[in-house]
Amino acid sequence: MEDSPMTDEPERKIAFICSKGNLDMAYPALIMGWAALGNGVDVTVFFTFWGLDLITKSRVDHLQIAPVGNTSMKTGMMGFPINMGIPQIFGVLPGMTAVATALMRKKIAEVHVPPVREMVEMLADAGAHLYACKMTVDMMGLSEEDFLDGVEGVVTAGEFIDMTDGAQIVFI
């Protein structure tokens, strides 16, 4: 572990592995990464499998949240006075994913959290290290040109493990 230049304290590091491309699964790593940067922690984010959608130019603005299989989704989120679970059968109705996505985007905007694209750009501008998974990039036929500015490159899982030696690793 490296020492920070101003103290004898070891440099704090955290690494996030983002493997999900749903709207609700995009924010945990981005918010925690932003908070870590604010606390002077070195941040690295590795995007793999569907998590690549968070940094892919053609997908980042189209992330969705599906109500099917999401037992935590409640009517209170939709503005109803009674906060109860939404029956899963409603999730298969046409348009429910679009409705749930629009509601989630509205709720996110109400608490003044930027859209995913802007959050990724903020992290990169603030010094977070962002990498795409080589195996997933190859598997999905993507290239570095497909990713947002600020993505530092495409690396293997082994390279990610080496570059995050000593870091806390959070898998999302």
Side-chain angles (χ1 to χ4, degrees), residues 18 38 43 46 71-72 88 109 119 121 159 161-162 165 168:
C18 294
V43 174
F46 184 72
T71 57
S72 294
Q88 291 294 295
M119 284 292 302
E121 291 169 353
E159 291 169 326
I161 295 296
D162 285 344
D165 184 38
Q168 289 179 279

Side-chain angles (χ1 to χ4, degrees), residues 23-139:
L23 182 61
D24 59 328
M25 295 306 289
Y27 281 99
L30 302 178
I31 298 292
M32 294 298 291
W34 185 250
L37 285 170
N39 286 347
V41 178
D42 183 74
V43 174
T44 302
V45 187
F46 184 72
F47 298 91
T48 187
F49 284 89
W50 306 123
L52 280 180
D53 284 356
L54 280 60
I55 56 170
T56 303
K57 294 175 189 171
S58 64
R59 293 285 310 138
V60 67
D61 299 320
H62 305 286
L63 303 179
Q64 298 181 314
I65 180 170
V68 173
N70 189 341
T71 57
S72 294
M73 194 169 282
K74 306 290 186 222
T75 55
M77 177 187 162
M78 301 174 127
F80 292 103
I82 299 171
N83 194 27
M84 58 185 258
I86 299 172
Q88 291 294 295
I89 191 70
F90 291 138
V92 299
L93 297 174
M96 285 303 290
T97 296
V99 169
T101 299
L103 286 169
M104 178 64 80
R105 289 187 193 284
K106 180 176 178 254
K107 293 289 186 183
I108 290 168
E110 286 174 357
V111 294
H112 310 289
V113 173
V116 171
R117 176 187 291 264
E118 189 175 337
M119 284 292 302
V120 170
E121 291 169 353
M122 288 168 49
L123 283 171
D125 290 347
H129 307 286
L130 310 177
Y131 297 99
C133 169
K134 181 171 181 3
M135 186 195 84
T136 309
V137 167
D138 292 346
M139 191 173 69

Side-chain angles (χ1 to χ4, degrees), residues 2 11-15 41-43 163-168:
E2 299 173 23
E11 181 181 12
R12 294 172 58 200
K13 298 178 182 178
I14 191 164
V41 178
D42 183 74
V43 174
M163 67 177 62
T164 58
D165 184 38
Q168 289 179 279

